[in-house]
Amino acid sequence: MNMLKTFSKGGVHPSENKISANRSIEILPLPQKVSIPVSQHIGAPATILVAKGDKVKVGQIIAQSAGFVSANIHSSVSGTVESIDAVLDSSGYKRQTITITVEGDEWESSIDRTTDLKKDIQLTSQDIIKRINEAGIVGLGGATFPSHVKLSVPSGKKADVLIINGVECEPYLTSDHRLMLEKGHELMVGIQILMKALNVSKALIGIENNKPDAINYLKIIAGEYKGIEVHALKVKYPQGGEKQLIKALVNREVPSGGLPIDIGTVVHNVGTAFAVYEAVQKNKPLFERVVTVTGKILPRTANYMVRIGTSVSDLIAAAGGLPEDTGKVVNGGPMMGKALVNTDVPVTKGTSGIIVFQSKESKRKTESVCIRCAKCVSICPMGLEPYLLNKLGQQMIFDRMEQENVLDCMECGSCSFECPAHLPLLDYIRLGKAEVSKIIRSRKN
Ligand code: SF4
Ligand code: SF4
């Protein structure tokens, strides 16, 4: 029997609920205004280049990367800068944001707006990395790490394989699935661009076996593109984590505190590879992305191509509006996403989905005491002891949390999901991670 590959340590099987999987990508109509935060990535916020009253075009740079780990921000619309102010974003914090009133839809003339597939890659590897940097591309799987940084391999290190994440293991989300089905050739060219930038001859695309249409389609077209293989993976959460995907595909382990490049791998998401195609072959900066809008109580579910800065409330309105019995709206997947306190927040580069849950679905179950069943230990994909970290977090014993490798926690939520006592383990583990990070930073200063 042909056993499907997967990662070895831990993992859970939440209900998939991919109810928007058959909804083709639709272009969301232009909003009346967009609010574009200058911090949509890991790293320094970008430096604002425009002022109130300025006219901007689609694709125009409006905030410039403020360091190596930072990213340019481009206008997603044409219109007038209405304000520059601290505005609430999906994290619940206020961030410097450029709000633009939409007037028409005038694009920068340098952007190739045709749908022609451009296969020939003319830029050198250095120029590819430069273009990706200029285009403001960050990891679109949710991590939002600037992509040019991942492609700039430090001296002494070498990548031998590029790994492409088409796993989409979070329940409900389907934006990557649709992209693989509808933009397969663009994705393949994007992967070849990334291979050229990294100087590797092999790329492996990992896709969970609950997307057989995407696996079959990409396997067929991969024959046209040298060095790209498509692998079906067993369905198991959190396979979309970098370390889990590397283990599943090439059976290598990233050491604690290490990076994929330490073991010769670089991982990019399918959405990122598509954005790379558009930046390099079409000169199009990252100012729109596919966002799944879903939930069992929504009148309709959808996968929208959305201009960055569009309000989440506009997306929900397009999907039929917020039902009366809404209990919770989540930005991202149900396992790792964050509940929104307000839907009047902008879609950013890291927004993969918006899920609307009914009241009864969103209620936390009543907690009881830990029964020492060790389930949380057996399912933790990072080999941690969540029950212990939870206890240490409650008691604020942060030095011990550091010794117990709390920083290795990838916040996948599997422990809270599986705990029969319904303990919100991740809440205290997150708190501990934040405190331990602070302590480590203060030690360095
Ligand atoms: S949230 Fe952290 S501790 Fe819990 S299972 Fe995931 S990696 Fe382990
Ligand atoms: S899964 Fe829950 S009940 Fe079981 S050991 Fe872990 S914390 Fe305790």
Side-chain angles (χ1 to χ4, degrees):
M1 202 171 72
N2 184 16
M3 292 282 285
L4 288 170
K5 291 180 178 182
T6 187
F7 58 99
S8 49
K9 216 182 278 172
V12 293
H13 295 95
S15 302
E16 293 171 20
N17 287 313
K18 302 276 191 184
I19 48 184
S20 53
N22 293 324
R23 309 286 305 186
S24 300
I25 298 169
E26 298 168 56
I27 295 173
L28 191 79
L30 279 176
Q32 292 183 339
K33 68 168 188 182
V34 291
S35 295
I36 306 178
V38 296
S39 184
Q40 303 180 39
H41 46 264
I42 288 176
T47 308
I48 296 171
L49 300 176
V50 290
K52 187 177 171 185
D54 282 359
K55 297 279 181 196
V56 293
K57 289 182 185 171
V58 180
Q60 180 180 330
I61 185 166
I62 52 173
Q64 188 162 36
S65 164
F68 183 54
V69 185
S70 182
N72 288 340
I73 304 282
H74 301 80
S75 180
S76 58
V77 295
S78 57
T80 306
V81 176
E82 179 188 299
S83 63
I84 297 172
D85 214 346
V87 170
L88 196 71
D89 75 0
S90 60
S91 67
Y93 291 98
K94 285 188 170 182
R95 306 207 191 259
Q96 277 302 99
T97 297
I98 302 165
T99 298
I100 303 165
T101 308
V102 178
E103 293 149 8
D105 191 27
E106 194 185 343
W107 291 42
E108 285 280 23
S109 57
S110 52
I111 301 172
D112 175 355
R113 295 186 67 182
T114 66
T115 53
D116 305 343
L117 180 71
K118 276 178 86 174
K119 281 190 171 182
D120 188 29
I121 304 160
Q122 285 174 348
L123 295 189
T124 63
S125 60
Q126 285 213 323
D127 286 343
I128 288 171
I129 297 172
K130 190 164 166 262
R131 178 73 63 83
I132 289 170
N133 186 1
E134 285 165 356
I137 298 176
V138 301
L140 295 188
T144 67
F145 193 77
S147 301
H148 68 276
V149 181
K150 270 192 181 181
L151 293 169
S152 308
V153 177
S155 67
K157 310 244 157 134
K158 166 95 184 90
D160 60 29
V161 60
L162 167 67
I163 290 188
I164 298 295
N165 188 346
V167 169
E168 204 163 47
C169 61
E170 272 272 13
Y172 285 95
L173 302 184
T174 56
S175 53
D176 286 349
H177 185 180
R178 291 313 310 178
L179 208 55
M180 289 188 279
L181 281 176
E182 297 178 42
K183 302 286 180 190
H185 282 284
E186 289 84 350
L187 172 61
M188 290 292 175
V189 179
I191 293 169
Q192 293 215 302
I193 295 168
L194 290 168
M195 289 165 74
K196 186 168 179 183
L198 286 166
N199 191 23
V200 299
S201 54
K202 189 161 139 184
L204 308 178
I205 309 177
I207 309 172
E208 287 195 336
N209 208 29
N210 56 0
K211 296 179 264 298
D213 49 359
I215 294 167
N216 291 337
Y217 173 57
L218 293 187
K219 272 190 174 171
I220 291 167
I221 65 168
E224 296 175 38
Y225 300 88
K226 202 167 162 229
I228 302 180
E229 293 172 19
V230 179
H231 290 262
L233 302 172
K234 189 174 166 183
V235 178
K236 190 163 74 158
Y237 179 87
Q239 195 143 236
E242 279 192 343
K243 292 176 182 173
Q244 286 66 36
L245 184 57
I246 293 168
K247 178 72 182 164
L249 282 170
V250 292
N251 197 23
R252 297 182 199 171
E253 275 187 38
V254 180
S256 173
L259 293 169
I261 191 63
D262 297 336
I263 52 163
T265 57
V266 172
V267 184
H268 284 281
N269 169 268
V270 288
T272 312
F274 176 67
V276 163
Y277 167 80
E278 294 207 305
V280 175
Q281 305 296 78
K282 301 282 178 170
N283 209 19
K284 182 180 166 195
L286 178 59
F287 57 76
E288 60 182 358
R289 65 157 298 151
V290 185
V291 182
T292 300
V293 184
T294 184
K296 290 177 192 162
I297 53 163
L298 278 185
R300 65 188 292 269
T301 62
N303 296 291
Y304 289 122
M305 183 64 85
V306 184
R307 302 284 178 99
I308 300 295
T310 303
S311 170
V312 166
S313 53
D314 285 349
L315 262 73
I316 295 173
L322 212 52
E324 252 184 39
D325 192 23
T326 298
K328 187 161 74 171
V329 179
V330 170
N331 176 32
M335 298 294 284
M336 292 185 82
K338 306 259 162 34
L340 292 175
V341 285
N342 185 338
T343 56
D344 198 11
V345 293
V347 166
T348 57
K349 294 176 185 178
T351 308
S352 50
I354 299 294
I355 313 175
V356 179
F357 289 104
Q358 202 172 9
S359 303
K360 69 172 186 213
E361 292 175 292
S362 50
K363 280 207 180 88
R364 277 196 170 185
K365 296 197 178 119
T366 313
E367 289 173 38
S368 52
V369 289
C370 170
I371 56 168
R372 295 173 184 268
C373 64
K375 261 194 184 164
C376 55
V377 179
S378 65
I379 57 81
C380 176
M382 298 308 296
L384 302 174
E385 299 195 25
Y387 75 91
L388 176 62
L389 292 172
N390 174 56
K391 213 167 157 197
L392 294 170
Q394 280 176 340
Q395 295 170 353
M396 298 199 286
I397 308 176
F398 300 122
D399 54 344
R400 185 71 202 287
M401 288 186 95
E402 184 183 356
Q403 288 161 18
E404 295 293 333
N405 297 321
V406 71
L407 292 186
D408 280 351
C409 170
M410 57 186 289
E411 303 187 20
C412 68
S414 300
C415 49
S416 309
F417 173 79
E418 200 71 20
C419 175
H422 309 304
L423 296 171
L425 302 169
L426 184 51
D427 290 1
Y428 280 104
I429 295 174
R430 260 199 196 121
L431 173 90
K433 270 185 82 177
E435 289 302 321
V436 169
S437 300
K438 257 193 240 163
I439 292 166
I440 292 173
R441 274 199 303 274
S442 69
R443 247 185 243 142
K444 283 179 187 160
N445 292 337

